[in-house]
């Protein structure tokens, strides 16, 4: 193997490793919750927020929900034990799909940033995100569409 082939193969290995790491971190961060849709409500079991890794139970800060009714996912944040928020992941600037980053939603297109309750923090977006009314009982969370 000559020097150029060696550099090419090292570069490909590096790219592959980086891409795999990114995919793996995205997969673990964005959890799509199982849900059912009836009477204009999306039902999500509270247990969808529970994550068990290596026999250790932790809570997810948020879960994502996809429905056939909407073109974008809904991000449901658990703000405290009985306090949730649900925001549509459609940027109010030019309609790109937002990414989650901790307690924030970030737009990959032009960098707008929103809180977990959908309030604009950084432009160019000027309007807050669409939000949904949430109710809950001991077992489930209901997002009113
Ligand atoms: Fe989101 Fe422009 S589309 S900032």
């Amino acid at each position: 193997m000559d020097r150029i082939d060696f550099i090419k193969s090292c570069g490909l290995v590096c790219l592959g490793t980086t891409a795999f790491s990114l995919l793996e971190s995205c997969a673990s961060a964005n959890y799509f919750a199982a849900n059912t849709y009836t009477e204009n409500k999306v039902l999500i079991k509270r247990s969808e927020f529970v994550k068990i890794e290596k026999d250790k139970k932790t809570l997810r800060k948020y879960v994502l929900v996809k429905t056939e009714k909407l073109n974008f996912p809904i991000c449901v944040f658990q703000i405290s034990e009985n306090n949730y928020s649900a925001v549509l992941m459609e940027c109010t600037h030019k309609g790109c799909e937002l990414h989650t980053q901790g307690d924030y939603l970030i737009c990959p297109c032009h960098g707008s940033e929103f809180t977990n309750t959908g309030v604009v923090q950084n432009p160019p977006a000027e309007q807050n995100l669409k939000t949904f009314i949430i109710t809950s009982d001991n077992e489930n969370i209901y997002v009113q569409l």
Side-chain angles (χ1 to χ4, degrees):
M1 177 183 291
D2 68 15
R3 190 172 165 203
I4 291 181
D5 286 341
F6 176 75
I7 291 170
K8 278 182 186 173
S9 60
C10 285
L12 287 175
V13 168
C14 269
L15 278 174
T17 304
T18 304
F20 179 76
S21 301
L22 285 172
L23 284 174
E24 196 174 44
S25 66
C26 286
S28 62
N30 286 331
Y31 175 75
F32 282 88
N35 66 86
T36 52
Y37 175 77
T38 50
E39 297 172 8
N40 273 354
K41 284 182 187 168
V42 176
L43 180 157
I44 307 157
K45 292 195 176 301
R46 280 180 184 257
S47 59
E48 290 292 316
F49 281 86
V50 177
K51 183 167 136 186
I52 297 173
E53 277 182 341
K54 297 176 188 168
D55 295 334
K56 195 176 173 188
K57 189 172 148 183
T58 57
L59 287 178
R60 295 184 167 92
K61 285 185 173 183
Y62 62 85
V63 297
L64 304 183
V65 176
K66 273 190 179 167
T67 72
E68 290 177 8
K69 285 285 238 180
L70 300 167
N71 293 332
F72 291 85
I74 297 171
C75 190
V76 181
F77 286 96
Q78 183 168 27
I79 294 170
S80 63
E81 189 177 338
N82 285 312
N83 186 14
Y84 297 89
S85 71
V87 296
L88 187 65
M89 296 179 74
E90 179 181 16
C91 184
T92 54
H93 179 231
K94 296 211 185 247
C96 288
E97 186 168 319
L98 301 171
H99 294 177
T100 52
Q101 190 165 341
D103 288 337
Y104 286 85
L105 294 155
I106 311 281
C107 183
C109 294
H110 311 106
S112 288
E113 201 173 307
F114 304 87
T115 66
N116 59 6
T117 55
V119 177
V120 181
Q121 294 298 289
N122 284 318
E126 295 176 349
Q127 292 184 327
N128 295 337
L129 299 177
K130 177 174 177 48
T131 58
F132 302 91
I133 294 172
I134 290 194
T135 54
S136 62
D137 57 29
N138 287 342
E139 289 186 23
N140 303 313
I141 298 158
Y142 306 92
V143 180
Q144 185 84 46
L145 298 190

